[in-house]
Structures are given as structure tokens and as C-alpha cells.
Short mmCIF file of all heavy atoms in Angstrom, two decimals:
data_model
loop_
_atom_site.label_atom_id
_atom_site.label_comp_id
_atom_site.label_asym_id
_atom_site.label_seq_id
_atom_site.Cartn_x
_atom_site.Cartn_y
_atom_site.Cartn_z
N ASP Z 1 0.81 -1.21 0.00
CA ASP Z 1 0.00 0.00 0.00
C ASP Z 1 0.85 1.27 0.00
O ASP Z 1 0.34 2.37 0.19
CB ASP Z 1 -0.94 0.01 1.21
CG ASP Z 1 -2.09 -0.97 1.05
OD1 ASP Z 1 -2.74 -0.92 0.00
OD2 ASP Z 1 -2.32 -1.79 1.97
N GLN Z 2 2.14 1.09 -0.21
CA GLN Z 2 3.06 2.23 -0.31
C GLN Z 2 3.51 2.40 -1.75
O GLN Z 2 3.59 1.44 -2.51
CB GLN Z 2 4.27 2.02 0.59
CG GLN Z 2 3.95 1.83 2.06
CD GLN Z 2 5.17 1.42 2.87
OE1 GLN Z 2 6.30 1.79 2.56
NE2 GLN Z 2 4.95 0.63 3.92
N SER Z 3 3.82 3.63 -2.11
CA SER Z 3 4.42 3.90 -3.41
C SER Z 3 5.92 3.62 -3.33
O SER Z 3 6.53 3.86 -2.28
CB SER Z 3 4.18 5.36 -3.81
OG SER Z 3 5.03 5.72 -4.89
N PRO Z 4 6.53 3.12 -4.40
CA PRO Z 4 7.98 2.91 -4.39
C PRO Z 4 8.76 4.19 -4.09
O PRO Z 4 9.91 4.13 -3.66
CB PRO Z 4 8.27 2.41 -5.81
CG PRO Z 4 6.99 1.81 -6.27
CD PRO Z 4 5.91 2.65 -5.65
N ARG Z 5 8.14 5.34 -4.29
CA ARG Z 5 8.81 6.62 -4.04
C ARG Z 5 8.68 7.07 -2.58
O ARG Z 5 9.34 8.02 -2.17
CB ARG Z 5 8.23 7.71 -4.95
CG ARG Z 5 8.49 7.47 -6.44
CD ARG Z 5 7.75 8.51 -7.28
NE ARG Z 5 8.00 8.30 -8.70
CZ ARG Z 5 8.89 8.98 -9.42
NH1 ARG Z 5 9.62 9.92 -8.83
NH2 ARG Z 5 9.05 8.75 -10.71
N ASP Z 6 7.81 6.42 -1.82
CA ASP Z 6 7.56 6.86 -0.44
C ASP Z 6 8.77 6.60 0.45
O ASP Z 6 9.39 5.53 0.41
CB ASP Z 6 6.34 6.12 0.14
CG ASP Z 6 5.02 6.66 -0.40
OD1 ASP Z 6 5.01 7.81 -0.87
OD2 ASP Z 6 4.02 5.93 -0.34
N LYS Z 7 9.07 7.58 1.27
CA LYS Z 7 10.10 7.45 2.30
C LYS Z 7 9.55 8.10 3.56
O LYS Z 7 9.11 9.25 3.52
CB LYS Z 7 11.41 8.12 1.87
CG LYS Z 7 12.08 7.47 0.66
CD LYS Z 7 13.34 8.22 0.26
CE LYS Z 7 14.01 7.56 -0.94
NZ LYS Z 7 13.15 7.58 -2.15
N PHE Z 8 9.58 7.38 4.67
CA PHE Z 8 8.94 7.87 5.90
C PHE Z 8 9.92 7.92 7.06
O PHE Z 8 10.86 7.13 7.14
CB PHE Z 8 7.77 6.96 6.29
CG PHE Z 8 6.73 6.80 5.21
CD1 PHE Z 8 6.60 5.60 4.53
CD2 PHE Z 8 5.89 7.84 4.87
CE1 PHE Z 8 5.65 5.44 3.53
CE2 PHE Z 8 4.93 7.70 3.87
CZ PHE Z 8 4.82 6.49 3.20
N LYS Z 9 9.64 8.86 7.96
CA LYS Z 9 10.36 8.95 9.23
C LYS Z 9 9.32 9.08 10.34
O LYS Z 9 8.21 9.60 10.12
CB LYS Z 9 11.28 10.17 9.27
CG LYS Z 9 12.36 10.19 8.19
CD LYS Z 9 13.37 11.30 8.42
CE LYS Z 9 12.73 12.67 8.47
NZ LYS Z 9 12.17 13.08 7.17
N VAL Z 10 9.68 8.60 11.53
CA VAL Z 10 8.79 8.73 12.68
C VAL Z 10 8.52 10.22 12.92
O VAL Z 10 9.45 11.03 12.94
CB VAL Z 10 9.41 8.08 13.93
CG1 VAL Z 10 8.54 8.37 15.16
CG2 VAL Z 10 9.56 6.58 13.73
N GLY Z 11 7.24 10.56 13.09
CA GLY Z 11 6.86 11.94 13.31
C GLY Z 11 6.35 12.63 12.06
O GLY Z 11 5.76 13.72 12.14
N ASP Z 12 6.56 12.01 10.88
CA ASP Z 12 6.07 12.60 9.63
C ASP Z 12 4.54 12.64 9.61
O ASP Z 12 3.89 11.69 10.04
CB ASP Z 12 6.55 11.78 8.42
CG ASP Z 12 8.00 12.00 8.09
OD1 ASP Z 12 8.60 12.93 8.67
OD2 ASP Z 12 8.55 11.25 7.25
N LYS Z 13 4.00 13.73 9.09
CA LYS Z 13 2.56 13.81 8.84
C LYS Z 13 2.33 13.48 7.37
O LYS Z 13 2.90 14.13 6.49
CB LYS Z 13 2.02 15.19 9.17
CG LYS Z 13 1.95 15.47 10.67
CD LYS Z 13 1.24 16.79 10.96
CE LYS Z 13 1.10 17.01 12.46
NZ LYS Z 13 0.40 18.28 12.77
N ILE Z 14 1.53 12.46 7.12
CA ILE Z 14 1.32 11.99 5.75
C ILE Z 14 -0.17 11.87 5.46
O ILE Z 14 -0.99 11.71 6.36
CB ILE Z 14 2.01 10.63 5.50
CG1 ILE Z 14 1.41 9.55 6.40
CG2 ILE Z 14 3.51 10.74 5.72
CD1 ILE Z 14 1.89 8.14 6.07
N LYS Z 15 -0.50 11.93 4.17
CA LYS Z 15 -1.88 11.71 3.73
C LYS Z 15 -2.02 10.24 3.33
O LYS Z 15 -1.13 9.67 2.70
CB LYS Z 15 -2.23 12.61 2.56
CG LYS Z 15 -2.32 14.09 2.89
CD LYS Z 15 -2.75 14.89 1.66
CE LYS Z 15 -2.93 16.36 2.00
NZ LYS Z 15 -1.65 17.01 2.37
N VAL Z 16 -3.16 9.65 3.69
CA VAL Z 16 -3.45 8.27 3.30
C VAL Z 16 -4.90 8.19 2.86
O VAL Z 16 -5.75 8.99 3.26
CB VAL Z 16 -3.20 7.27 4.45
CG1 VAL Z 16 -1.74 7.25 4.84
CG2 VAL Z 16 -4.08 7.58 5.66
N TYR Z 17 -5.18 7.21 2.03
CA TYR Z 17 -6.55 6.94 1.58
C TYR Z 17 -7.12 5.80 2.41
O TYR Z 17 -6.49 4.75 2.57
CB TYR Z 17 -6.54 6.55 0.10
CG TYR Z 17 -7.85 6.02 -0.42
CD1 TYR Z 17 -8.97 6.84 -0.52
CD2 TYR Z 17 -7.98 4.69 -0.82
CE1 TYR Z 17 -10.17 6.35 -1.00
CE2 TYR Z 17 -9.17 4.19 -1.31
CZ TYR Z 17 -10.27 5.03 -1.39
OH TYR Z 17 -11.46 4.54 -1.86
N VAL Z 18 -8.31 6.02 2.99
CA VAL Z 18 -8.95 5.00 3.83
C VAL Z 18 -9.77 4.08 2.93
O VAL Z 18 -10.84 4.44 2.44
CB VAL Z 18 -9.85 5.64 4.91
CG1 VAL Z 18 -10.47 4.56 5.79
CG2 VAL Z 18 -9.05 6.62 5.76
N LYS Z 19 -9.25 2.87 2.71
CA LYS Z 19 -9.93 1.91 1.84
C LYS Z 19 -11.12 1.26 2.53
O LYS Z 19 -12.18 1.09 1.94
CB LYS Z 19 -8.95 0.82 1.39
CG LYS Z 19 -7.87 1.30 0.46
CD LYS Z 19 -7.22 0.14 -0.29
CE LYS Z 19 -6.50 -0.81 0.66
NZ LYS Z 19 -5.77 -1.88 -0.07
N LYS Z 20 -10.93 0.89 3.80
CA LYS Z 20 -11.96 0.12 4.50
C LYS Z 20 -11.82 0.26 6.00
O LYS Z 20 -10.71 0.37 6.52
CB LYS Z 20 -11.84 -1.37 4.10
CG LYS Z 20 -12.98 -2.26 4.56
CD LYS Z 20 -14.23 -2.05 3.72
CE LYS Z 20 -15.34 -3.01 4.12
NZ LYS Z 20 -16.59 -2.77 3.37
N ILE Z 21 -12.94 0.26 6.69
CA ILE Z 21 -12.97 0.21 8.16
C ILE Z 21 -13.68 -1.08 8.55
O ILE Z 21 -14.83 -1.30 8.18
CB ILE Z 21 -13.71 1.41 8.77
CG1 ILE Z 21 -13.14 2.74 8.24
CG2 ILE Z 21 -13.64 1.36 10.29
CD1 ILE Z 21 -11.75 3.05 8.69
N LYS Z 22 -12.97 -1.94 9.28
CA LYS Z 22 -13.56 -3.21 9.71
C LYS Z 22 -13.64 -3.27 11.23
O LYS Z 22 -12.69 -2.89 11.91
CB LYS Z 22 -12.71 -4.39 9.22
CG LYS Z 22 -12.66 -4.59 7.72
CD LYS Z 22 -11.81 -5.80 7.39
CE LYS Z 22 -11.76 -6.08 5.90
NZ LYS Z 22 -10.91 -7.25 5.59
N PRO Z 23 -14.77 -3.74 11.77
CA PRO Z 23 -14.81 -3.96 13.23
C PRO Z 23 -13.94 -5.14 13.60
O PRO Z 23 -13.84 -6.12 12.84
CB PRO Z 23 -16.30 -4.24 13.49
CG PRO Z 23 -16.84 -4.74 12.19
CD PRO Z 23 -16.04 -4.07 11.11
N GLY Z 24 -13.28 -5.07 14.75
CA GLY Z 24 -12.42 -6.16 15.19
C GLY Z 24 -12.50 -6.36 16.69
O GLY Z 24 -13.08 -5.54 17.41
N HIS Z 25 -11.93 -7.46 17.18
CA HIS Z 25 -11.97 -7.78 18.61
C HIS Z 25 -11.20 -6.75 19.43
O HIS Z 25 -11.54 -6.47 20.57
CB HIS Z 25 -11.40 -9.18 18.86
CG HIS Z 25 -12.20 -10.28 18.22
ND1 HIS Z 25 -13.52 -10.52 18.55
CD2 HIS Z 25 -11.88 -11.18 17.25
CE1 HIS Z 25 -13.97 -11.53 17.82
NE2 HIS Z 25 -12.98 -11.95 17.02
N LYS Z 26 -10.14 -6.20 18.86
CA LYS Z 26 -9.32 -5.23 19.57
C LYS Z 26 -9.58 -3.81 19.10
O LYS Z 26 -8.73 -2.94 19.21
CB LYS Z 26 -7.84 -5.57 19.39
CG LYS Z 26 -7.45 -6.92 19.99
CD LYS Z 26 -5.96 -7.18 19.82
CE LYS Z 26 -5.57 -8.50 20.45
NZ LYS Z 26 -4.11 -8.78 20.30
N GLY Z 27 -10.77 -3.58 18.55
CA GLY Z 27 -11.12 -2.27 18.04
C GLY Z 27 -11.18 -2.27 16.53
O GLY Z 27 -10.85 -3.27 15.87
#
């Protein structure tokens, strides 16, 4: 789900597309 061009560091603010929300046992 990442682009080959993506590079991330902890603390970065990034945009993401929400594909699906599923209920789960842990939330």
C-alpha cells in the first residue's frame, strides 16, 4: 500500500486513503 517513491520517518505527517474500516476484537 506504499508507493515505491515513499520514504517515511517517525513523526512525519502523511496523507493516506482510507480503503476500508472493519470492526475487530481489539477495536
